[in-house]
Amino acid sequence: MKPVLGKISSLLLGTTLITSALAATDGELAKVMKDRGLSEIDVVRAAKTYNPTGVKDKYVVFSSGGQSGQMLVYGVPSMRLLKYIAVFTPEPWQGYGYDKDSLEILRQGNIRGREINWGDTHHPALSETDGKYDGKWLVINDKANPRIAVIDLEDFETKQIVPNPVFKSEHGGAFFTPNSDHILEAAQYAAPFDNEYHPIEDYKETYRGGVTVWKFDSKIGRIIPKDSFTLELPPYMQDLSDSGKGISDGWGFTNSFNTEMYTGGIEVGMPPNEAGMSRNDTDFLHVYNWKKLYELSKDPKNVKIVNDHKIIPIEIAVKNDALFLIPEPKSPHGVDVDPTGQYLVVCGKLDTHASVYDFKKIQKLISNKEYAGKDPFGIPILDMKKSLHGQLELGLGPLHNQYSPVDGEIYTSLYVDSQVVKWNFKELKVLDKENVHYNIGHLAGMEGKSADPQGEYIIALNKLSIDRFQNVGPLHPQNHQLIDISGKTMDLLVDMPLPLGEPHQAVAIRAEKLHPHVRYEMGTNTKTGEQHIGKTLAGQERIERNGNHVTVYATLVRSHINPERITVNKGDKVTIHMTNLERAQDETHGFTVDNFDVHASLEPGETSTIEFNADIEGVFPYYCTEFCSALHLEMMGYLMVKDPNKKYESAQKIKMQTMTPEQLKAEYDKTVAVNAATDSVIQSVVKFLKDNKFGDHKVVADLVTDALDQYGKIPEQKKLSDEAVKAGDMEKAILFENMIWQLMVKTADVGIRAKDTLVRLIATKQSDAAARGEKTFAEGGCNGCHVIGKVSSGPDLTGVLQRHENGEKWVADFILDPEKMYGEPYVKGMIDYFNLKMPNQHMSQEETKDIIEYLKWIDENANLF
Amino acid sequence: MKPVLGKISSLLLGTTLITSALAATDGELAKVMKDRGLSEIDVVRAAKTYNPTGVKDKYVVFSSGGQSGQMLVYGVPSMRLLKYIAVFTPEPWQGYGYDKDSLEILRQGNIRGREINWGDTHHPALSETDGKYDGKWLVINDKANPRIAVIDLEDFETKQIVPNPVFKSEHGGAFFTPNSDHILEAAQYAAPFDNEYHPIEDYKETYRGGVTVWKFDSKIGRIIPKDSFTLELPPYMQDLSDSGKGISDGWGFTNSFNTEMYTGGIEVGMPPNEAGMSRNDTDFLHVYNWKKLYELSKDPKNVKIVNDHKIIPIEIAVKNDALFLIPEPKSPHGVDVDPTGQYLVVCGKLDTHASVYDFKKIQKLISNKEYAGKDPFGIPILDMKKSLHGQLELGLGPLHNQYSPVDGEIYTSLYVDSQVVKWNFKELKVLDKENVHYNIGHLAGMEGKSADPQGEYIIALNKLSIDRFQNVGPLHPQNHQLIDISGKTMDLLVDMPLPLGEPHQAVAIRAEKLHPHVRYEMGTNTKTGEQHIGKTLAGQERIERNGNHVTVYATLVRSHINPERITVNKGDKVTIHMTNLERAQDETHGFTVDNFDVHASLEPGETSTIEFNADIEGVFPYYCTEFCSALHLEMMGYLMVKDPNKKYESAQKIKMQTMTPEQLKAEYDKTVAVNAATDSVIQSVVKFLKDNKFGDHKVVADLVTDALDQYGKIPEQKKLSDEAVKAGDMEKAILFENMIWQLMVKTADVGIRAKDTLVRLIATKQSDAAARGEKTFAEGGCNGCHVIGKVSSGPDLTGVLQRHENGEKWVADFILDPEKMYGEPYVKGMIDYFNLKMPNQHMSQEETKDIIEYLKWIDENANLF
């Protein structure tokens, strides 16, 4: 009983209440604050990030998974991790790399024929239409083994991996152009484009950087390598990129470090790279017209071919006025185009300033051919000052930028200062700073680099967490901190530890823009989106042998695998195609054959394949690895591998007790009776559902479809049972009757959930008082004896307010002082009938009133209980 | 400015306030509740689960990672995932399976020489002393490929994997005995113990179940296979186990299903397994004296050897009164021994009852040899009713149980009903039920199955999440729901999606019982705990060739790898030993050689090894994969693989601009001057730290050690710079001066963090009013012009209360109505000096008072700003 809380919170909600009742200090919230040491502002922050059960998040974040090689997905503002998506690294839960179909995707990422089973993911990008996120595709790069992967946001699965044919290292990808027709991918550590050795002494001559401009077909969501090309760049180590939008659409921007072209080596008596690569005060921003270059790439005269891939040489780009350099502050990190496309903000991590370039000024210099000079490779250099809108000192280690919907407002991460700074890039004025813990790298706004930034939150992607979390060993989680930016000043809301990988960058999208599937068309190969060659429907299960290749066409459905026995010869190649026959949302089955290092995850409707060589003799259980129903443990079978060169003799039978025909008949009758009783429960639920028009509610209709799916399998089993009875095989008949019971249990499981869901949907809305009353009814212990809708240890209270004259007063009196009424004839009769006396539960007047409101609500909905 | 919130929240905290001010409805909490649709009870639940930044959790949960093959770690009540621990599946972020040392651990898990790269983890167990968790070791089983792994809680790394030599499938592990001297591991799907084919028709004769009793050395944390044995059991499919404690110490309990020994097969016209395996109303609980069996196993007469492993045959166990069966309800799941060891609660998922067995009754029947019969294998059966304390109907699909510190109180999961039920197993009375979403499997109490359960929370491990979260594709996360059990009735607090794997079971421990390392002794092989053969200290870096095997002894430290160039021949085997020289907590370095599928994660002090064949020619960058400092991108080098059969010619040099001696001298002077200026900043921080006795605060002292570590490297670089100047090589001198600057930046980065931390630690405690004042000062925009401790766009406010007669009143008047005082000579002077007028920020009287309290606090701590 928590009366005080109700009052205080009502006040917070602005309802009127007598304030003289407010002096009490024993409210539940006050107690929790005291127990947990929370301040008032902590409670506000808690409320800003807490999602009650079933409440969904407003934004979905896609974060790189760093060296895990995966992507991760979480919700904002709850900061709850929703999913890791397997991308470059095998992941058994998803079957990724453990089934044949996904292994084919993973192997697209082989480099020079070598298998690569991990990645260092850095920069995710969401597909765009007119520079705004459209929620269709997600791409991510691998820095260590230069590759790009494409993920389909209809099912959050990786569909394509494309290795870069000329880079040996990569950082400045992936970045979509504003209509997702191209993806920019810049190199990082310069290296020869070919696959040969070139001495480090020839660094300037033979090592090269570049930007690959991948053609992307946004209808099918695939990169088209043959229509793609790479722009050759000097061996300045390219860093991050961005594509222009609005007035800068068609242009790409890539910054760099080590324009010194230093190659150190302590082991040869030289200072290390870190000293020589940061010597100059400025590096170069590369500015290139990718649209013009794309057109140029179509003419073989303009390209040279390396590793079967088109390269546009520097001189061709220069000759066609498609490539320029502008000095930028020392060792920059982010180059971030603003929502209009006019401004580019560049931060140099070894410089305290942010530099705001104006694309209009850049364009003017270009069209006037007004160059400040040329670099050693002949690329025109634009004057830095003439390109700049201006510069502003932000603090130590500025790195990356995100925009908000407020004109000119920008948020920048400060790595060394461990801060986020809010400033105005047009007026060049610092507005606010917020401390983060510690060493922020990237930061993520809500659609904060699209043409339509949303504001509301900034997430700080911090590299260190040191003292923020319970110590879990020398390898710490990282920390994504959520910052509320809706107010005048920033407010750090909460810490989110990252349990796997060093997430590098994240992009956020409004949840309402995503529309993933919940099931597939029956028999889908999810990797291609087409019908799977192994698609198998119920009744089509079979085992085929072709030489020493055994192919199994199997199905999985709650709660059995068909077939349940597979016998092969040692040395056979075994292919098992599996189809999950379920249509119910979230009814995934897993499949493994023990000790063969294979695993598939089969979502409803999916067909997938595992393949292995049966190279060892023995008996190997296989089973469904998901807890898919109460009978999940029984969802298993045996693979038996015989040695064809051995002779096997049957073992002696153990003597088992056998049942008499009478015992069998009795068990059969009992099983049939149990089934009939179970069926009548199911029928009552079905009647309730029909009476209350379940079809009007999609969520309920889906559950009913699922339940009827199970129920629909019963006649076939009944037929088998009846045939067995006719044949006099009672043993078998009992088993088929048991199968019917299993199907009924599964029907009831889902059917009852459908009923409960329907009741919640169609009951009249509870008043606040009735809701409080329901809680008080439960917490006060009333439901120990009174079950709504049926007689339990006490009478059913449905209609109790009508049963007595002046019913509300009668009930209130009885709750408040039951002893006084034990002598009343009606009460006396009840006491005799139930052999129990209604106890005094010491309810207050307020609580009693609430309970009566609850009882009124029950009467309004009496037909539902 | 949020005046109302302060007042209302103060009220909630029980401080006295004038209640007539409370009618306002624009409090910040009220606004957040309205915006986010939160009810009053939602806010209480939010407060129960929210951890402000830096606040740690009370409990740490270790959950199985299901088919991910990993473990996961999270905090309670915040439900934040802290870490995935790599166990059975390669994991690149941790280098697990991607470096040589961890690969050796992973390969311990090979079965019959075959590599297994995943696992289906089910049941974690924490090591115990006297039945209570001691926070030392964690073990976990793999159902698919029967194995047990051991994790060290000093660094949360997997140290050992032990395959089961005779099982082909496994479920009933891992369970520690009360002093962690043994681990119980029961089989699941019966199969022959040998590795040969046996036809399914001989199931009863040749297929077997069993329990392996592993000897565990809890001092070193390793399983000792040679001292372990397996108890042979009938081919009843064994399910979960538990070890006795207290009066049942020395005994083990394992339940089962399919005591029908049914082997179905739709493909052979038989009903599927699920029908035949659930035919009987009861299955068997196996009761065995593992302590006696362990002693028996030492005598070769009592064992047979299969696959080099000791088996105690059924008949030996029976003959020695060490094995019994008791009927238990149909298809049970959990068998859970209570904290005293007297009661075992078994739930049968196809029966609505929980059965409470009394070990005293069992013991009595055993000592009286009072058997109800024998099974077909000759094992004595104890009478179910005579073994029972009693049974209670709980609902549909009861599965697992957890205990609380309240005598008799137990919590049970109901899979079909999707509920947690709280009941009393002594009085056999249901106390409360709570709905969960949906289909709960295991549930986790806080140390809820140890001899010392803590209560407070229950976590429901739900198999389905359907409508709880933003849709992330057909494969849904699972849902761990946190339930508050501290009140009379349960209260569901929050949903936690699981982003990777289907976690099966979880165990929770008080956080205070865990004491992990933050760094290693320099040069540690973390897999063995001993000094690594590749340990390399600064100055010991080298490259050694032995035939075609090249061994590199490398070091990593912010921000360079030594060596930075490695040249080998195509065909060489390359071994790179790396030592992370850092001592700073959380300063991990990663290492990869691009395109060679290797990756190591090096925690401070760790040495690790990667190894590969340089089988392709080319140039391959290597780099540190952690964002370890502002210069992390520069922390790289090149592996160059030459073809020894090719001749390489140097390329033509590109003509680069060279600097004149004057230009070089000017750059040198400038660099030296920048370094001197940076050093003076560092010295001022050092003085502050010393003046304020940083050594008294361990957290600060650790940071200072780290900063000085960087600073200490400067003299050596200075020496090299000076030598270069003497030799007339200004180019090189500049580079070494740049190196000094890099070291200074890193020193300052950590040093400033040390200073800020120290200030927070030693400043006097802020009153509530001063804390509110600081917030108002920031949010009201005062800090736009006034920076505490220095003159900015406005005067420094340190000492402002002393600067004016009747200072508090003067400041208050000025804040509340500055215009009125523009004419005062002092104010006029300031306006002239700063060329800015103090604006009216419209502070209330209350806010102004708070700001003055804040200014007082500043004056108290003036020396710190």
Side-chain angles (χ1 to χ4, degrees), chain A residues 50 114 205 493 615 630 652, chain B residues 114 205 349 493 615 652:
Chain A
Y50 174 78
R114 301 160 63 88
E205 294 77 13
L493 297 178
D615 54 0
Q652 179 71 39
Chain B
R114 299 160 64 88
E205 293 78 13
K349 60 184 191 267
L493 298 178
D615 53 0
Q652 180 72 37

Side-chain angles (χ1 to χ4, degrees), chain B residues 55-100:
Chain B
V55 172
K56 288 158 197 172
D57 280 309
K58 190 166 176 189
Y59 296 98
V60 174
V61 176
F62 295 93
S63 171
S64 98
Q67 315 90 325
S68 79
Q70 316 294 37
M71 290 283 303
L72 49 96
V73 186
Y74 60 87
V76 166
S78 77
M79 302 304 273
R80 294 178 300 184
L81 273 165
L82 295 166
K83 198 179 220 173
Y84 275 83
I85 305 171
V87 185
F88 295 114
T89 306
E91 202 302 295
W93 169 55
Q94 295 164 47
Y96 191 74
Y98 296 83
D99 70 34
K100 189 171 182 263

Side-chain angles (χ1 to χ4, degrees), chain A residues 568-631:
Chain A
V568 302
N569 288 323
K570 186 176 158 181
D572 283 346
K573 178 176 163 187
V574 180
T575 302
I576 306 180
H577 300 301
M578 296 154 288
T579 300
N580 179 351
L581 298 178
E582 308 280 354
R583 288 185 292 176
Q585 182 176 349
D586 205 1
E587 199 51 64
T588 294
H589 293 292
F591 185 86
T592 187
V593 181
D594 285 3
N595 306 333
F596 276 96
D597 203 25
V598 288
H599 185 249
S601 172
L602 297 133
E603 280 74 68
E606 178 172 354
T607 299
S608 189
T609 303
I610 58 165
E611 201 165 78
F612 55 90
N613 290 316
D615 54 0
I616 47 173
E617 179 190 354
V619 175
F620 305 95
Y622 52 82
Y623 66 96
C624 167
T625 57
E626 290 274 335
F627 199 150
C628 54
S629 79
L631 271 287

Side-chain angles (χ1 to χ4, degrees), chain A residues 369-658:
Chain A
K369 300 204 179 225
E370 186 182 340
Y371 307 140
K374 287 194 171 191
D375 85 332
F377 299 87
I379 308 172
I381 299 171
L382 308 184
D383 185 79
M384 182 171 175
K385 283 208 177 126
K386 288 184 182 163
S387 309
L388 279 173
H389 167 69
Q391 286 187 308
L392 181 65
E393 178 156 347
L394 297 180
L396 296 177
L399 296 183
H400 302 285
N401 311 289
Q402 293 280 311
Y403 297 91
S404 93
V406 180
D407 185 46
E409 194 173 286
I410 185 168
Y411 293 80
T412 301
S413 52
L414 302 179
Y415 179 84
V416 178
D417 275 345
S418 290
Q419 288 183 322
V420 173
V421 51
K422 169 181 170 178
W423 55 290
N424 188 301
F425 67 88
K426 291 188 176 167
E427 297 168 12
L428 299 171
K429 195 179 150 191
V430 169
L431 302 171
D432 187 31
K433 288 189 178 188
E434 177 79 13
N435 293 325
V436 296
H437 312 268
Y438 305 90
N439 291 42
I440 178 174
H442 278 269
L443 75 178
M446 302 301 104
E447 308 188 10
K449 274 195 57 191
S450 75
D452 189 22
Q454 296 296 302
E456 292 209 64
Y457 303 103
I458 282 283
I459 301 163
L461 279 64
N462 304 329
K463 300 289 127 189
L464 301 181
S465 67
I466 310 179
D467 54 3
R468 294 293 93 182
F469 307 113
Q470 168 66 25
N471 180 0
V472 288
L475 181 59
H476 290 240
Q478 297 215 352
N479 186 4
H480 285 195
Q481 290 185 307
L482 182 68
I483 298 169
D484 180 357
I485 60 167
S486 61
K488 193 167 170 186
T489 55
M490 290 179 274
D491 186 27
L492 193 153
L493 297 178
V494 74
D495 293 342
M496 177 212 196
L498 275 299
L500 181 61
E502 186 206 56
H504 190 87
Q505 191 202 15
V507 288
I509 185 171
R510 276 167 279 181
E512 68 197 33
K513 287 190 165 186
L514 299 171
H515 306 286
H517 295 323
V518 296
R519 66 182 68 78
Y520 295 101
E521 291 278 302
M522 193 58 65
T524 300
N525 178 338
T526 71
K527 305 306 173 290
T528 62
E530 288 162 20
Q531 188 173 306
H532 198 289
I533 54 157
K535 174 180 173 180
T536 309
L537 300 180
Q540 299 177 342
E541 299 90 349
R542 64 201 182 275
I543 301 176
E544 292 177 356
R545 173 177 284 281
N546 186 356
N548 68 348
H549 183 188
V550 176
T551 304
V552 182
Y553 295 84
T555 61
L556 291 88
V557 72
R558 274 164 291 169
S559 306
H560 57 264
I561 300 161
N562 185 348
E564 288 180 322
R565 302 171 187 181
I566 303 169
T567 307
V568 302
N569 288 323
K570 186 176 158 181
D572 283 346
K573 178 176 163 187
V574 180
T575 302
I576 306 180
H577 300 301
M578 296 154 288
T579 300
N580 179 351
L581 298 178
E582 308 280 354
R583 288 185 292 176
Q585 182 176 349
D586 205 1
E587 199 51 64
T588 294
H589 293 292
F591 185 86
T592 187
V593 181
D594 285 3
N595 306 333
F596 276 96
D597 203 25
V598 288
H599 185 249
S601 172
L602 297 133
E603 280 74 68
E606 178 172 354
T607 299
S608 189
T609 303
I610 58 165
E611 201 165 78
F612 55 90
N613 290 316
D615 54 0
I616 47 173
E617 179 190 354
V619 175
F620 305 95
Y622 52 82
Y623 66 96
C624 167
T625 57
E626 290 274 335
F627 199 150
C628 54
S629 79
L631 271 287
H632 85 114
L633 283 184
E634 289 78 357
M635 191 164 173
M636 60 83 62
Y638 285 103
L639 169 78
M640 284 162 289
V641 184
K642 292 166 85 158
D643 184 336
N645 301 316
K646 267 194 192 172
K647 265 201 139 175
Y648 298 98
E649 278 177 37
S650 180
Q652 179 71 39
K653 299 272 181 218
I654 289 179
K655 202 177 147 48
M656 302 292 287
Q657 253 183 322
T658 51

Side-chain angles (χ1 to χ4, degrees), chain B residues 8-57:
Chain B
I8 292 178
S9 301
S10 296
L11 179 83
L12 291 172
L13 282 165
T15 62
T16 56
L17 261 180
I18 305 134
T19 51
S20 62
L22 285 168
T25 57
D26 59 344
E28 189 172 0
L29 181 57
K31 186 177 177 310
V32 173
M33 288 170 73
K34 187 156 174 284
D35 288 351
R36 304 199 66 232
L38 300 179
S39 72
E40 52 195 54
I41 190 69
D42 289 337
V43 173
V44 175
R45 288 175 182 151
K48 283 182 178 179
T49 59
Y50 174 77
N51 281 21
T53 181
V55 172
K56 288 158 197 172
D57 280 309

